């Protein structure tokens, strides 16, 4: 038995219905979040809620849900869905209009939808059993406001799919100046000579909650050096380690980028240190 949330009510998934005139359906006009929960405990909840509120404000969707309301929805879904490890998907669209019109309509209520999906388990810091990633590499063709976690993900989907077509599980992206932005559904880190670097936050990338947690944890718990700065494509391809990070992957070790094997083609030593720190401290924030 599983339950989803739609506009103030909990129901079986097959009972959740929205109009095809919903602007989320017609325009991808909405904001979303993905929050992991392990044994009922959510990871980075406050930061995820802050990001959804910022996204809603950025596109002028007025939704008055407080953090406590979001927490109650998430907790209800967690306890009414199977499995110890769950991802919670939150989605707010601008709502259902009577006609298709690009302008933001006045006086319609946002559509709020949320569901849980089962996660295979907590990512591990064990190099032998960790999930590793081979990734494609291509020029970022998405829009110029990638800092907004928009439900309009066609650009990301196309990039992901071209990686999948090459047998890969992600696609890392670079801009017209050959600077790394992020990946289709992850942020990117590199390690060179013991120094960790990740692209600086701007309009080209999503401010990932996992990225933020890694920066916080590494800065307060280890002697490692972490830099937020421009990272070039050449640096990526000559890095000792490359990681892709997201709510569900945590610190994902990349072993190959396009035709280039990264380091020794297996999870690196700094990855192991950082994923271990992450596992230990991820619920402290
Ligand atoms: N994706 N960049 C992009 C484009 C993303 O879609 C994601 C997350 C991230 C990492 O953000 P976070 O650490 O907050 O998960 C970076 C989610 C998980 C998704 O679309 O399913």
């Amino acid at each position: 038995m599983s339950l989803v949330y739609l506009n103030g009510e909990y129901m079986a998934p097959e009972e959740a219905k929205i109009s095809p005139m919903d602007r989320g359906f017609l325009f991808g006009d909405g904001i979303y979040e993905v929050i992991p929960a392990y044994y009922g405990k959510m990871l980075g909840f406050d930061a995820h809620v802050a990001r959804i509120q910022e996204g809603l404000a950025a596109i002028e969707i007025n939704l008055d849900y407080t953090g406590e309301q979001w927490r109650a929805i998430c907790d209800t879904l967690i306890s009414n869905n199977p499995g110890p490890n769950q991802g919670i998907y939150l989605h707010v669209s601008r709502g259902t209009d009577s006609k298709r019109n690009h302008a933001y309509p006045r006086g319609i209520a946002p559509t709020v939808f949320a569901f849980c999906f089962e996660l295979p388990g907590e990512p591990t810091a064990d190099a032998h059993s960790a999930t590793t990633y081979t990734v494609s590499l291509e020029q970022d063709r998405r829009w110029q406001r990638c800092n907004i976690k928009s439900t309009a993900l066609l650009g990301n989907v196309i990039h992901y799919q071209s990686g999948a077509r090459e047998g890969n599980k992600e696609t890392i992206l670079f801009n017209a100046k050959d600077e790394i932005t992020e990946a289709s559904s992850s942020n990117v880190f590199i390690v060179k000579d013991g120094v960790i670097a990740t692209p600086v936050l701007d309009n080209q990338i999503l401010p990932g909650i996992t990225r933020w947690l890694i920066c916080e944890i590494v800065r307060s718990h280890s002697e490692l050096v972490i830099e937020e700065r421009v990272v070039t494509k050449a640096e990526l391809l000559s890095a000792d380690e490359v990681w892709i990070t997201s709510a569900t992957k945590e610190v994902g070790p990349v072993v190959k980028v396009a035709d280039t094997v990264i380091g020794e083609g297996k999870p690196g030593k700094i990855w192991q240190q950082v994923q271990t720190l992450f596992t230990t401290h991820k619920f402290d924030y």
Side-chain angles (χ1 to χ4, degrees):
M1 165 70 178
S2 59
L3 282 188
V4 302
Y5 172 91
L6 180 63
N7 296 330
E9 289 174 42
Y10 298 92
M11 60 196 77
E14 57 275 15
E15 281 166 20
K17 299 200 167 45
I18 59 165
S19 165
M21 295 306 284
D22 192 281
R23 289 177 62 99
F25 184 67
L26 292 178
F27 294 111
D29 184 355
I31 299 290
Y32 78 105
E33 270 302 324
V34 177
I35 308 174
Y38 301 107
Y39 294 94
K41 221 165 140 190
M42 285 185 280
L43 177 51
F45 175 80
D46 290 343
H48 282 284
V49 166
R51 188 172 63 185
I52 202 169
Q53 311 283 37
E54 279 160 28
L56 292 171
I59 66 167
E60 297 171 48
I61 290 181
N62 296 315
L63 180 78
D64 56 3
Y65 283 30
T66 62
E68 282 320 296
Q69 280 171 287
W70 281 121
R71 187 183 286 283
I73 292 167
C74 294
D75 285 343
T76 305
L77 290 178
I78 290 168
S79 49
N80 284 283
N81 281 282
N85 305 308
Q86 292 165 342
I88 303 136
Y89 177 87
L90 309 176
H91 177 126
V92 182
S93 84
R94 196 175 302 279
T96 299
D97 200 0
S98 54
K99 53 193 176 308
R100 180 179 178 276
N101 183 354
H102 285 65
Y104 296 173
R106 288 173 192 275
I108 62 167
T111 301
V112 184
F113 175 56
F115 67 90
C116 275
F117 58 96
E118 213 171 330
L119 294 175
E122 286 189 63
T124 171
D126 172 14
H128 299 292
S129 56
T131 302
T132 59
Y133 296 86
T134 63
V135 305
S136 294
L137 181 63
E138 59 186 29
Q139 185 166 349
D140 198 337
R141 303 272 183 204
R142 301 171 303 156
W143 70 330
Q144 292 174 24
R145 303 186 70 178
C146 291
N147 53 317
I148 297 175
K149 199 163 173 63
S150 162
T151 57
L153 285 174
L154 184 57
N156 303 60
V157 166
I158 291 172
H159 280 309
Y160 186 93
Q161 190 58 31
S162 57
R165 215 172 279 126
E166 293 173 353
N168 294 324
K169 289 189 280 188
E170 248 297 17
T171 301
I172 291 182
L173 306 170
F174 56 87
N175 65 17
K177 293 193 272 182
D178 278 352
E179 298 164 352
I180 300 305
T181 55
E182 58 180 343
S184 73
S185 63
S186 330
N187 290 113
V188 176
F189 288 71
I190 66 163
V191 180
K192 187 70 180 176
D193 299 328
V195 177
I196 306 165
T198 191
V200 70
L201 292 183
D202 61 17
N203 64 309
Q204 301 177 95
I205 72 172
L206 186 79
I209 306 304
T210 318
R211 175 193 181 283
W212 168 73
L213 282 169
I214 292 167
C215 292
E216 291 289 308
I217 291 170
V218 167
R219 285 193 180 118
S220 51
H221 293 282
S222 114
E223 301 309 309
L224 297 169
V225 181
I226 190 159
E227 297 173 345
E228 296 175 67
R229 61 167 173 83
V230 168
V231 174
T232 65
K233 185 164 78 172
E235 285 181 295
L236 176 89
L237 292 171
S238 61
D240 300 329
E241 298 185 26
V242 173
W243 315 329
I244 48 175
T245 71
S246 74
T248 49
K249 297 180 195 83
E250 300 193 348
V251 192
V254 174
V255 294
K256 200 172 171 201
V257 178
D259 294 329
T260 304
V261 173
I262 301 301
E264 293 167 16
K266 56 183 192 193
K269 286 199 173 61
I270 310 280
W271 167 80
Q272 188 150 24
Q273 265 177 280
V274 171
Q275 179 61 54
T276 302
L277 281 171
F278 195 88
T279 302
T280 312
H281 297 288
K282 62 187 179 184
F283 291 113
D284 297 354
Y285 294 82

